[in-house]
């Protein structure tokens, strides 16, 4: 985990755990929580299956797929598998209500929308969208699916609010695979940045926010940064360290009218210590967590095209080992560098959502292979994660070990909450 994640890890992770006993005594138990979403399903049977699946994701089952969830709830396995795999209910209706709920609880004019891809390792070649591609979770090229996720941070809390599956080009050109995995006819090939752009255009008006941030998957796309600027979105996006930049201030080399283009990190490493600002990121258990940062107006270059003026932000960790990060922003020069560092650091909140979801809410516990199944499972996983966030906020307690509703004989107590 990088320094930015480490800098935020201790105050966040200390609040992630919620015990079953606390859930059972909380008015925000799964049954009470789910009442808000019941009307998103057209049939009572669908709503009941959704509640069962949600409870299963929040349980302490070692594997939170349809079969063990059905067994644990004493219901027919095929009923739950059908509901998740090919059930006729609308994910967007559930997600729309989720987004309204998130805004109601943690809506913040200074909120941040976060873009991030997440990989799901898969064996075989039958699952929709699977191919040999870079899998961040495994740190290598492997068979996997890739989802583009959008998170929201407001009032100190984070939530995943949207996701779309990346469909590789070879999948979009294969009618047999598309039909077998129930890929809608209007789904075409789009890069992850194009997916993020389309989804953000729809979601952005729904969330009070001041910033957009994301990793280099999106920051390296100059066209994407330009579109954000045209939509009056302030961004702080990570970019590769070898991004070519030309500083727009500072002493010029002898005989030159402009600074030459050079790699962002190489330029930053040549700056004297006096050019850097020490910024406190968080208060750690063993003292303040800090980084050194510098910011300068630049133009970035991609091949032969030179972009508009932006702000380059470079951060380096303070400690035994030095980690460097580069970012580009369209923030006004009057915005303090401390604000840019704070926004950049918030990108790791979505990674913590992934860790929590895959470790505790069954985000990666699925055996569905179709486009419909992937979206159904992810939609219910977003709900499960949001429930955990709400519960932690309302309990307001620290260092509690676990937070899923207990299984078996304890379920009745949970349901009566």
């Amino acid at each position: 985990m990088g320094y930015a994640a480490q800098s935020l890890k201790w105050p966040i992770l200390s609040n992630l755990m919620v015990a079953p006993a606390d859930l059972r005594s909380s008015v925000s138990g799964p049954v009470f929580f789910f009442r808000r979403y019941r009307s998103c399903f057209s049939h009572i049977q669908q709503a009941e299956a959704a509640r069962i699946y949600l409870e299963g994701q929040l349980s302490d089952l070692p594997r939170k797929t349809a079969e063990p969830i059905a067994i644990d709830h004493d219901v027919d396995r095929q009923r739950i598998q059908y509901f998740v795999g090919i059930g006729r209910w609308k994910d967007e209706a559930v997600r729309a209500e989720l987004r309204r709920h998130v805004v109601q609880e943690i809506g913040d004019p200074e909120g941040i929308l976060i873009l991030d891809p997440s990989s799901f390792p898969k064996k075989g070649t039958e699952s929709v969208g699977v191919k040999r591609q870079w899998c961040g979770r495994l740190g290598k090229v492997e068979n996997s699916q890739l989802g583009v996720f959008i998170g929201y941070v407001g009032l100190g809390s984070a939530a995943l609010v949207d996701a779309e599956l990346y469909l590789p080009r070879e999948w979009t050109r294969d009618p047999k695979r598309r039909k077998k995995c129930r890929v809608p006819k209007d789904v075409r090939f789009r890069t992850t940045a194009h997916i993020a752009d389309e989804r953000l255009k729809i979601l952005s008006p729904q969330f009070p926010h001041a910033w957009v941030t994301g990793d280099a998957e999106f920051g390296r796309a100059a066209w994407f940064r330009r579109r954000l600027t045209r939509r009056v979105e302030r961004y702080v996006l990570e970019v590769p360290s070898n991004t070519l930049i030309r500083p727009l201030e500072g002493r010029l080399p002898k005989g030159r009218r402009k600074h030459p283009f050079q790699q962002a990190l190489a330029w930053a490493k040549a700056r004297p210590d006096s050019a850097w600002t020490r910024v406190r990121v968080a208060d750690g258990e063993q003292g303040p967590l800090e980084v050194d940062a510098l910011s300068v107006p630049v133009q970035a270059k991609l091949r032969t095209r030179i972009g508009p003026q932006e702000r380059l932000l470079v951060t380096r960790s303070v400690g035994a080992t030095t980690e460097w990060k580069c970012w580009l922003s369209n923030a006004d020069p009057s915005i303090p560098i401390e604000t840019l560092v704070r926004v950049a650091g918030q990108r790791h909140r979505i990674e913590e959502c992934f860790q929590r979801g895959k470790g505790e809410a069954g985000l990666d516990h699925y055996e569905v292979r179709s486009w419909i199944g992937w979206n159904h499972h992810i939609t219910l996983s977003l709900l499960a994660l949001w429930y955990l966030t709400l519960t932690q906020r309302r309990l307001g307690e620290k260092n509690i070990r676990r937070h899923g509703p207990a299984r078996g004989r304890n379920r009745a107590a949970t349901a009566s909450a």
Side-chain angles (χ1 to χ4, degrees), residues 390-409:
L390 277 181
T391 300
Q392 188 277 317
R393 280 179 61 83
R394 289 169 178 169
L395 289 175
E397 299 178 6
K398 299 181 179 181
N399 301 319
I400 305 175
R401 290 287 177 179
R402 297 168 61 190
H403 52 259
R407 296 168 55 194
R409 60 185 178 85

Side-chain angles (χ1 to χ4, degrees), residues 57-364:
Q57 290 178 296
L58 294 167
S59 73
D60 57 359
L61 286 168
R63 186 69 181 167
K64 302 174 184 182
T65 55
E67 184 170 1
I69 290 174
I71 293 173
D72 191 54
H73 282 76
D74 300 320
V75 298
D76 180 62
R77 168 181 58 85
Q78 292 183 338
R79 172 187 169 191
I80 303 301
Q81 288 176 331
Y82 179 89
F83 167 76
V84 177
I86 56 175
R88 295 184 178 182
W89 53 277
K90 296 182 179 179
D91 296 288
E92 186 52 36
V94 180
R95 295 186 189 186
E97 186 59 34
L98 166 67
R99 294 192 283 267
R100 286 189 287 268
H101 200 177
V102 169
V103 171
Q104 177 183 325
E105 294 287 342
I106 63 172
D108 184 353
E110 294 300 312
I112 302 171
L113 288 166
I114 309 174
L115 312 171
D116 209 55
S118 186
S119 300
F120 299 84
K122 286 292 171 184
K123 296 180 180 179
T125 60
E126 299 301 312
S127 296
V128 61
V130 71
K131 67 170 287 187
R132 287 188 61 80
Q133 57 192 334
W134 177 257
C135 180
R137 186 173 183 183
L138 300 179
K140 62 179 180 179
V141 174
E142 192 54 86
N143 263 18
S144 58
Q145 295 168 305
L146 182 65
V148 177
F149 287 79
I150 297 180
Y152 179 73
V153 174
L155 303 182
S157 293
L160 294 180
V161 296
D162 194 63
E164 183 165 331
L165 182 66
Y166 165 73
L167 198 65
R169 192 184 299 274
E170 55 265 41
W171 269 84
T172 62
R173 296 174 174 176
D174 191 331
K176 291 183 179 179
R177 296 179 90 184
R178 290 181 65 116
K179 182 177 180 180
K180 186 175 182 180
C181 289
R182 298 172 182 264
V183 178
K185 293 181 179 180
D186 61 346
V187 174
R188 65 195 188 284
F189 172 74
R190 292 165 298 160
T191 67
T192 54
H194 280 96
I195 292 173
D197 179 55
E198 291 179 13
R199 294 307 302 165
L200 191 62
K201 186 176 181 180
I202 295 171
L203 267 62
S204 179
Q206 302 177 29
F207 290 90
H209 66 284
W211 298 92
V212 173
T213 189
D215 76 353
E217 182 86 8
F218 310 102
R220 62 163 53 94
W223 65 265
F224 178 57
R225 303 197 308 271
R226 289 195 300 271
R227 286 193 185 182
L228 290 179
T229 298
R230 285 200 294 268
R231 296 206 294 262
V232 197
E233 294 276 11
R234 284 192 305 184
Y235 61 79
V236 181
L237 293 169
E238 188 176 351
V239 295
S241 61
N242 62 356
T243 299
L244 293 176
I245 57 95
R246 176 169 65 195
L248 298 180
E249 66 180 29
R251 185 176 180 180
L252 290 170
K254 187 175 180 179
R256 297 190 65 106
R257 298 177 59 186
K258 294 181 179 180
H259 287 280
F261 281 96
Q262 55 188 303
Q263 293 185 2
L265 184 56
W267 176 85
K269 286 185 174 181
R271 298 310 97 198
D273 288 341
S274 59
W276 297 81
T277 300
R278 183 65 55 90
V279 179
R280 177 177 292 193
V281 180
D283 293 321
E285 293 177 324
Q286 299 181 358
L289 300 172
E290 299 174 317
V291 299
D292 288 330
L294 64 78
S295 176
V296 64
V298 300
Q299 286 180 303
K301 182 179 181 182
L302 180 62
R303 293 186 286 276
T304 60
R305 185 164 186 172
I306 299 174
Q309 179 173 320
E310 297 176 277
R311 286 179 68 176
L312 172 68
L313 171 70
V314 182
T315 57
R316 65 184 184 190
S317 57
V318 176
T321 59
T322 302
E323 184 176 1
W324 304 76
K325 294 285 187 181
C326 300
W327 316 73
L328 284 174
S329 174
N330 61 352
D332 187 89
S334 64
I335 301 296
I337 192 171
E338 291 83 0
T339 300
L340 297 184
V341 172
R342 177 187 65 82
V343 174
Q346 291 298 299
R347 186 180 72 77
H348 293 275
R349 297 297 300 274
I350 197 170
E351 294 181 359
E352 287 155 0
C353 286
F354 292 144
Q355 292 173 12
R356 188 177 192 181
K358 293 178 180 181
E360 305 166 50
L363 181 64
D364 59 344

Side-chain angles (χ1 to χ4, degrees), residues 3-72:
Y3 77 88
Q6 290 284 5
S7 66
L8 293 169
K9 178 181 177 183
W10 78 266
I12 297 169
L13 295 187
S14 63
N15 285 322
L16 289 187
M17 304 304 179
V18 183
D22 292 298
L23 280 188
R24 291 194 295 271
S25 63
S26 171
V27 295
S28 58
V31 174
F32 184 87
F33 168 83
F34 185 71
R35 290 176 186 173
R36 177 170 184 143
Y37 297 89
R38 185 176 293 273
S39 62
C40 297
F41 301 91
S42 56
H43 303 294
I44 295 176
Q45 294 86 350
Q46 286 183 346
E48 182 64 9
R51 181 191 63 78
I52 289 172
Y53 197 77
L54 179 66
E55 286 190 355
Q57 290 178 296
L58 294 167
S59 73
D60 57 359
L61 286 168
R63 186 69 181 167
K64 302 174 184 182
T65 55
E67 184 170 1
I69 290 174
I71 293 173
D72 191 54

